[in-house]
Amino acid sequence: MTLTPLRPLAPARRGVRLAQDLARHGERPALVEDTGVTSYAALAGLVDAATERHALHVAEPLVLPVRPCREDVVTYLACLAAGRPVLLTDPDGSTAELEARFGPRVGAPAPHPDLALLLSTSGSTGSPRLVRLGARAVDANAAAIAEYLGLHPDDVGITALPLHYCYGLSVLHSHLAVGAAVVLTRTKVVDPCFWVAVDAHGVTSLAGVPHSFEMLEASGRAEALATGGHPSLRLLTQAGGRMAPETVRAWAQRGERGGFDLVVMYGQTEATARMAYLPAHLAAERPECVGVPVPGGDLRLDPVPGQPEGVGELVYSGPNVMMGYAEERADLARGHDLAELRTGDLGVQEPDGLWRVVGRLSRFAKVLGLRVDLDRVETGLADLGVEALVADAGDRLAVGTTSAPADHARLVSDTARLAGLPEAAVTVVPLQEWPLLPSGKPDRQRVAALARREVADARPRGRSRTAGTSPAHAATPDPAALLADVLGRPVADTDSFRS
């Protein structure tokens, strides 16, 4: 009798509960499109059918350019339910590089059984590394968000942000977790059709990054919200970057008049989405804070050399912390690399327990030998009522602004004072609008590149000398004048370099 060796069983994979339990919400509306409404029961049937197919490929990550449409949402949820790792990408970008680096490959080790979701840290398909998120993290963060926002089955969200961006995806997750509906649309908040959908489908919550709120103001939609022009909206949420305290307060006050709450949130892709939130009743009173940890999470400070007492690196712990990063296909087989997340953000905890972000460890520049905290300069300008993007342009600070040219001299002066630099080390970059990454966050590297180009264009070009003119007789800049320009103070011919 010949015994045939048994093939080793693949490790049991953990699916994401919110994708597996859709049927429990019955006939409630789940996905809303212009073409009709898909109930939870119908969505569960579609997902179950697709899950059977994806269950056969759990060792092969799926690269999914995800659009806000039923077809893509069903595919995504089926992967989560089956335990097939899925990498969400920008539907308007190329996936060739990601397919080559992370897609199915003969002989590659199977992904870790806990791995559910892969996201770029920037929301861009060009990111050099991915965040590995486990099934438990996806479920835990969706439940936490739903809890602190008070979401319930009668709520209706809308895809105001891309689904390949963790903030936009968290809207889908948190609503599905409680049996609420989500309107699927690719229109933007400045498009009148977006607001037709808001009113037609009774949208109750709207998520935005700081640029979203700027567009609402520029388009005049902010006034309509403040006067109750869209009565179904009960909640606006903001994340994806710091919004100036004055802007937070202004929107909180609009909410008081218009009948909606504003909840400011703090998060990173590495924490699945959210780590802290500022309760709505504190938005107008404490707009400079990110608030308190999300349910199930915790924040603490680790000391950072050179920082004042009470300022340290924010360290987050909770069930929504990522498994780790992935830079190549083999990384998908790794387990949990960390139990807590070092955010890279500098923070303080106020006496009343609220947390405040005051800077970023990596957002430092060295200009003229001086170390400059770029976030603190940006924050200082915001406290003066100036919205600007501050970036490291090498030998100077680049300050991007949409303000009028008449305000630029003051902006240079304020930036130099906040940074402790001479005014000659600051270059203002006029902008028609904020340059943005695909995630909707400000593109500060673009501001730095524009500043370097502006400086290069302003430098005098070398001239050919006329015959008979020796180098000794070529025009030479006055050293005292150059030093005065750099140091921002008078320099006499009798001064020594040391003085």
Side-chain angles (χ1 to χ4, degrees):
M1 178 177 176
T2 302
L3 297 177
T4 303
L6 293 175
R7 295 178 61 186
L9 295 176
R13 301 198 62 81
R14 176 203 293 269
V16 175
R17 190 174 64 252
L18 70 85
Q20 296 170 332
D21 293 346
L22 297 168
R24 70 188 177 94
H25 301 300
E27 295 301 323
R28 298 198 63 82
L31 305 179
V32 181
E33 298 178 281
D34 290 339
T35 54
V37 177
T38 304
S39 70
Y40 272 93
L43 180 60
L46 293 169
V47 169
D48 286 346
T51 298
E52 294 181 9
R53 298 193 301 273
H54 289 287
L56 301 174
H57 304 280
V58 293
E60 302 171 2
L62 176 68
V63 179
L64 177 63
V66 61
R67 302 161 298 173
C69 66
R70 189 177 75 171
E71 177 185 359
D72 287 0
V73 171
V74 166
T75 299
Y76 169 63
L77 293 174
C79 288
L80 294 187
R84 182 182 188 182
V86 57
L87 196 175
L88 298 185
T89 70
D90 184 349
D92 298 321
S94 170
T95 63
E97 181 184 354
L98 290 173
E99 289 275 8
R101 289 173 57 195
F102 298 103
R105 186 179 306 165
V106 175
H112 192 277
D114 289 346
L115 181 62
L117 177 61
L118 295 160
L119 293 175
S120 166
T121 56
S122 65
S124 164
T125 56
S127 177
R129 61 182 179 178
L130 301 176
V131 170
R132 295 183 291 120
L133 298 172
R136 179 170 178 249
V138 174
D139 278 324
N141 208 224
I145 294 169
E147 179 180 338
Y148 73 71
L149 291 182
L151 297 181
H152 49 74
D154 291 332
D155 273 314
V156 181
I158 188 168
T159 54
L161 299 168
L163 290 178
H164 67 278
Y165 172 39
C166 76
Y167 184 14
L169 190 61
S170 72
V171 173
L172 178 69
H173 289 169
S174 57
H175 282 70
L176 294 181
V178 298
V182 179
V183 177
L184 302 177
T185 178
R186 293 193 74 168
T187 56
K188 307 298 183 184
V189 294
V190 292
D191 190 329
C193 293
F194 181 92
W195 296 99
V196 169
V198 166
D199 294 334
H201 303 301
V203 170
T204 60
S205 63
L206 173 64
V209 296
H211 183 62
S212 306
F213 289 85
E214 292 168 9
M215 291 193 293
L216 290 174
E217 291 187 6
S219 65
R221 190 64 58 177
E223 184 59 27
L225 288 165
T227 54
H230 303 285
S232 64
L233 275 174
R234 70 169 186 86
L235 180 66
L236 267 62
T237 63
Q238 183 268 315
R242 182 181 185 272
M243 199 154 74
E246 290 77 11
T247 305
V248 173
R249 182 178 289 111
W251 276 99
Q253 291 169 345
R254 289 187 181 107
E256 291 174 1
R257 303 196 306 272
F260 61 84
D261 287 332
L262 173 69
V263 177
V264 175
M265 307 183 297
Y266 165 64
Q268 292 180 354
T269 308
E270 290 86 345
T272 310
R274 304 276 77 81
M275 294 183 287
Y277 71 102
L278 183 65
H281 70 278
L282 295 174
E285 179 185 345
R286 303 298 303 278
E288 74 284 1
C289 295
V290 297
V292 296
V294 302
D298 186 58
L299 284 169
R300 64 177 173 84
L301 290 179
D302 265 8
V304 175
Q307 292 297 325
E309 184 178 356
V311 176
E313 182 182 9
L314 282 169
V315 180
Y316 175 82
S317 59
N320 52 309
V321 170
M322 68 174 177
M323 298 172 67
Y325 291 111
E327 297 187 9
E328 58 184 8
R329 178 65 171 79
D331 292 336
L332 306 190
R334 295 210 319 268
H336 296 260
D337 293 341
L338 64 167
E340 58 183 18
L341 177 64
R342 306 190 70 85
T343 66
D345 289 325
L346 296 172
V348 298
Q349 187 172 27
E350 303 290 1
D352 59 2
L354 295 180
W355 292 88
R356 181 163 58 92
V357 175
V358 297
R360 179 123 184 108
L361 279 172
S362 61
R363 284 267 292 151
F364 286 89
K366 200 160 190 180
V367 182
L368 301 180
L370 298 175
R371 192 166 182 261
V372 180
D373 185 333
L374 302 180
D375 282 324
R376 289 195 177 185
V377 175
E378 260 190 27
T379 301
L381 291 173
D383 291 342
L384 295 173
V386 179
E387 290 290 339
L389 300 178
V390 181
D392 178 7
D395 61 346
R396 64 190 57 247
L397 294 188
V399 185
T401 180
T402 57
S403 63
D407 299 327
H408 290 182
R410 177 64 181 273
L411 179 55
V412 169
S413 175
D414 288 339
T415 301
R417 176 177 54 80
L418 290 166
L421 294 171
E423 293 185 6
V426 177
T427 295
V428 170
V429 178
L431 303 170
Q432 293 297 318
E433 58 184 9
W434 296 125
L436 299 175
L437 296 167
S439 62
K441 295 182 179 181
D443 187 351
R444 292 178 176 83
Q445 291 304 312
R446 175 65 177 158
V447 173
L450 290 172
R452 287 191 290 266
R453 183 187 305 169
E454 185 172 313
V455 171
D457 291 344
R459 286 180 179 140
R461 305 299 182 190
R463 301 180 202 165
S464 60
R465 294 192 299 272
T466 57
T469 303
S470 69
H473 292 90
T476 304
D478 177 13
L482 283 175
L483 283 173
D485 188 35
V486 169
L487 297 175
R489 53 161 292 170
V491 176
D493 291 336
T494 56
D495 282 332
S496 68
F497 190 79
R498 181 173 181 178
S499 68

